[in-house]
């Protein structure tokens, strides 16, 4: 098996285990912290606030991530980030309000390092022919974390409307062990050395002036101000808001809807399982298609994700009460809350998210292969700012208001992505025609010279 492909697989396993721990925690954090508050009146930590701090810190630190990677390299950055994820999970074994928020700041900084390093490392192990395949495979493996972690939570939360201390410690201890396994896989990643070529030499010469951390930071700002990156920012913003919605708002809202039945809390974990199934299916599908997605263009997949998400927003609107994000409620929406419909919507949210994110990875890795560190840092910055904003208003905004915001941002994000993709395709066609003209020009000029000489 090709070494670069092995690295992609190891990267996928590392992130799968680390994020089995973290994404499961994010999915159940609001529910868990509410139970801790009921057992300990001195604990006042809030799940939405913690997640907002994480993503706000991630957004700020993303500006420094390219500079950090110039010092540590992508593998070192990912290891440092993974250790902050481990620390965050361990703190739940010792619930303290101040410790929760300190750990939230640290994991936000670590997330900037791990995700920017991941984007850079994936690009280094890919080329124009394999970036779509590798992005799809990585995304499918990453999102297996939603499946396995939340299936475990579903089993542990069965029959419980209050998550007791023993159950919490079993869950936290297990997730800590899983995170350690992920770190071991990241330690197995091997460095990439490009084969010497004229193109690589040119790229290295062009990048010599941007090796310092300060130059890397300035380069990221310059890239952010380009037209295509500003357009793509609308797509990044949408993925950030929908990420926070399905990872921290939607599943707890199902658990707070008591009309779901006596075991409403167990549906929090099951919702995460179905989100994970949608993510894995989408990532695997686009990974198998590989080069075909590049040949067809990325826009049909993003448009499909847009339609799927709009459908899920409507179904959620009629299925869950508007006050569901705030806590336990016996209210109903337009229909009696259906667990089956709720799980179907979870699947749609996951599959649609895979449509957007696999194509974002593909377009960044393909269009910005010579500046992937800054490109992925900007992606995570914009996405994280949007996610933080969503978590800040999630504790105040009705579910119906949040769904309207999502629908508007989905429309803007899809249109912006398609504009960039169509522009890139037009430039590629123009470049191909220019190359053909350059090849035919010598023959044309020679014919003209001969004709002139004959005359």
């Amino acid at each position: 098996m090709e070494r670069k492909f092995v690295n992609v697989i190891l990267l996928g396993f590392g992130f799968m285990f680390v994020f089995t721990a973290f994404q499961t925690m994010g999915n159940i954090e609001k529910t868990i912290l509410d139970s801790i508050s009921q057992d300990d009146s001195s604990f006042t930590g809030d799940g939405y606030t913690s997640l907002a701090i994480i993503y706000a810190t991630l957004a700020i630190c993303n500006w420094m991530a390219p500079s950090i990677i110039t010092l540590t390299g992508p593998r070192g950055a990912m290891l440092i980030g993974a250790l902050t994820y481990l620390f965050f999970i361990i703190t739940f074994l010792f619930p303290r309000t101040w410790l929760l928020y300190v750990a939230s700041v640290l994991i936000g900084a670590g997330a900037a390092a791990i995700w920017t390093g991941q984007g850079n490392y994936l690009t280094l192990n890919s080329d124009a022919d394999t970036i779509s395949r590798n992005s799809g495979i990585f995304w499918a493996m990453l999102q297996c974390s939603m499946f396995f972690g939340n299936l475990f939570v579903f089993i542990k939360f069965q029959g419980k409307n209050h998550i007791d201390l023993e159950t919490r410690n079993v869950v936290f201890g297990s997730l800590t062990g899983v995170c350690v396994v992920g770190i071991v896989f990241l330690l197995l990643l091997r460095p990439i050395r490009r084969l010497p070529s004229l193109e690589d030499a040119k790229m290295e010469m062009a990048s010599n002036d941007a090796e310092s951390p300060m130059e890397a930071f300035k380069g990221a700002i310059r890239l952010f101000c380009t037209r295509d990156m500003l357009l793509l920012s609308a797509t990044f913003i949408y993925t950030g808001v929908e990420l926070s919605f399905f990872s921290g708002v939607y599943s707890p809202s199902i658990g707070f809807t008591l009309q779901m039945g006596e075991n409403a809390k167990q549906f929090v974990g099951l919702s995460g399982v179905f989100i994970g199934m949608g993510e894995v299916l989408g990532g695997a599908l686009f990974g198998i298609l590989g080069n075909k997605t590049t040949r067809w263009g990325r826009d049909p997949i993003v448009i499909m994700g847009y339609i799927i998400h709009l459908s899920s927003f409507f179904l959620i609107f009629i299925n869950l009460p508007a006050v569901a994000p705030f806590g336990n409620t016996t209210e109903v929406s337009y229909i009696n809350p259906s667990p089956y419909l709720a799980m179907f919507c979870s699947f749609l949210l996951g599959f649609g998210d895979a449509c957007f994110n696999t194509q974002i990875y593909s377009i960044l890795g393909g269009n910005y292969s010579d500046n992937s560190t800054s490109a992925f840092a900007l992606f995570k910055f914009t996405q994280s700012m949007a996610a933080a904003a969503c978590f800040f208003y999630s504790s105040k905004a009705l579910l119906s208001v949040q769904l309207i915001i999502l629908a508007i941002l989905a429309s803007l994000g899809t249109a912006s992505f398609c504009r960039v993709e169509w522009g890139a395709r037009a430039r590629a066609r123009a470049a191909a025609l220019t190359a053909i003209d350059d090849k035919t020009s010598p023959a044309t000029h020679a014919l003209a010279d001969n004709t002139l000489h004959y005359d």
Side-chain angles (χ1 to χ4, degrees):
M1 188 181 295
E2 185 187 3
R3 181 179 181 180
K4 289 186 177 182
F5 187 63
V6 171
N7 279 337
V8 172
I9 299 299
L10 290 174
L11 184 69
F13 274 118
F15 272 67
M16 181 180 73
F17 284 107
V18 169
F19 283 87
T20 290
F22 175 69
Q23 289 191 349
T24 304
M25 283 299 308
N27 197 43
I28 66 175
E29 185 173 356
K30 177 65 176 176
T31 305
I32 286 286
L33 293 184
D34 281 359
S35 294
I36 293 176
S37 298
Q38 293 173 24
D39 292 344
D40 181 3
S41 59
S42 66
F43 182 83
T44 58
D46 178 73
Y48 291 153
T49 303
S50 168
L51 291 167
I53 291 172
I54 290 172
Y55 284 102
T57 307
L58 168 57
I60 295 170
C61 291
N62 262 308
W63 285 105
M64 297 178 285
S67 303
I68 293 172
I69 288 181
T70 62
L71 300 174
T72 65
R75 294 184 304 146
M78 287 188 286
L79 284 173
I80 293 171
L83 290 174
T84 65
Y85 281 76
L86 179 63
F87 176 74
F88 178 76
I89 295 164
I90 291 175
T91 61
F92 281 83
L93 293 168
F94 314 96
R96 300 288 187 277
T97 302
W98 67 269
L99 186 58
L100 170 68
Y101 294 141
V102 168
S104 298
V105 171
L106 289 177
I107 194 176
I114 196 172
W115 280 110
T116 305
Q118 176 271 331
N120 181 230
Y121 192 75
L122 183 68
T123 302
L124 290 174
N125 284 276
S126 306
D127 54 36
D129 294 328
T130 61
I131 184 65
S132 291
R133 179 201 69 185
N134 291 348
S135 297
I137 290 173
F138 171 79
W139 191 257
M141 296 183 70
L142 168 66
Q143 297 307 328
C144 284
S145 59
M146 292 289 292
F147 179 78
F148 296 121
N150 286 291
L151 182 61
F152 172 67
V153 168
F154 170 69
I155 295 171
K156 293 301 298 181
F157 283 11
Q158 277 191 336
K160 297 180 183 292
N161 274 328
H162 174 79
I163 313 303
D164 57 85
L165 176 62
E166 181 181 357
T167 302
R168 295 197 300 264
N169 286 342
V170 169
V171 171
F172 300 151
S174 300
L175 295 180
T176 298
V178 170
C179 189
V180 171
V181 173
I183 293 174
V184 171
F185 272 101
L186 293 180
L187 287 169
L188 296 176
L189 294 175
R190 301 271 62 87
I192 285 298
R193 296 180 178 86
R194 293 181 181 271
L195 293 175
S197 67
L198 179 61
E199 182 180 355
D200 288 335
K202 290 179 179 178
M203 287 175 60
E204 184 167 349
M205 290 174 62
S207 63
N208 280 340
D209 294 334
E211 283 298 314
S212 71
M214 181 55 67
E215 287 301 319
F217 174 73
K218 291 179 180 178
I221 294 178
R222 287 193 296 269
L223 180 61
F224 186 70
C225 294
T226 60
R227 186 194 64 175
D228 280 0
M229 188 58 73
L230 288 173
L231 283 170
L232 286 173
S233 294
T235 314
F236 302 161
I237 289 171
Y238 171 64
T239 61
V241 174
E242 58 100 1
L243 165 67
S244 60
F245 178 75
F246 77 71
S247 66
V249 177
Y250 178 62
S251 294
S253 295
I254 296 173
F256 290 142
T257 304
L258 301 182
Q259 292 293 333
M260 288 283 182
E262 295 181 358
N263 298 327
K265 291 293 184 289
Q266 76 182 66
F267 292 126
V268 176
L270 191 60
S271 171
V273 171
F274 277 92
I275 292 171
M277 289 173 62
E279 295 275 17
V280 171
L281 178 61
L285 177 63
F286 305 135
I288 292 171
L289 290 176
N291 297 337
K292 293 182 180 179
T293 60
T294 304
R295 187 161 60 247
W296 296 335
R298 304 175 181 96
D299 45 304
I301 297 174
V302 169
I303 292 171
M304 177 172 64
Y306 169 68
I307 295 171
I308 289 172
H309 269 179
L310 285 188
S311 301
S312 68
F313 299 155
F314 173 74
L315 294 175
I316 292 169
F317 174 72
I318 64 174
N319 191 44
L320 297 183
V323 296
F326 306 147
N328 291 337
T329 178
T330 57
E331 292 188 19
V332 297
S333 185
Y334 291 91
I335 62 174
N336 288 327
S338 167
Y340 299 103
L341 184 57
M343 297 307 107
F344 178 63
C345 289
S346 298
F347 175 82
L348 293 181
L349 288 173
F351 190 86
D353 183 64
C355 292
F356 277 93
N357 278 280
T358 55
Q359 301 316 298
I360 287 174
Y361 272 78
S362 178
I363 200 169
L364 292 181
N367 292 8
Y368 301 95
S369 59
D370 58 341
N371 199 9
S372 60
T373 301
S374 295
F376 280 97
L378 293 173
F379 165 43
K380 282 299 171 182
F381 162 75
T382 312
Q383 185 185 63
S384 303
M385 282 294 290
C390 180
F391 280 122
F392 275 119
Y393 70 66
S394 292
S395 60
K396 305 295 182 183
L398 295 172
L399 182 63
S400 54
V401 174
Q402 297 190 43
L403 292 171
I404 291 172
I405 293 173
L406 282 164
I408 293 172
L409 293 177
S411 302
L412 294 174
T414 302
S416 297
F417 185 96
C418 291
R419 176 67 183 84
V420 174
E421 174 68 6
W422 295 338
R425 203 178 304 163
R427 289 192 295 271
R429 284 197 298 267
L433 291 174
T434 301
I436 293 173
D437 289 342
D438 290 341
K439 290 180 180 179
T440 58
S441 290
T444 303
H445 293 320
L447 179 60
D449 291 342
N450 290 336
T451 302
L452 181 62
H453 179 72
Y454 177 78
D455 291 341

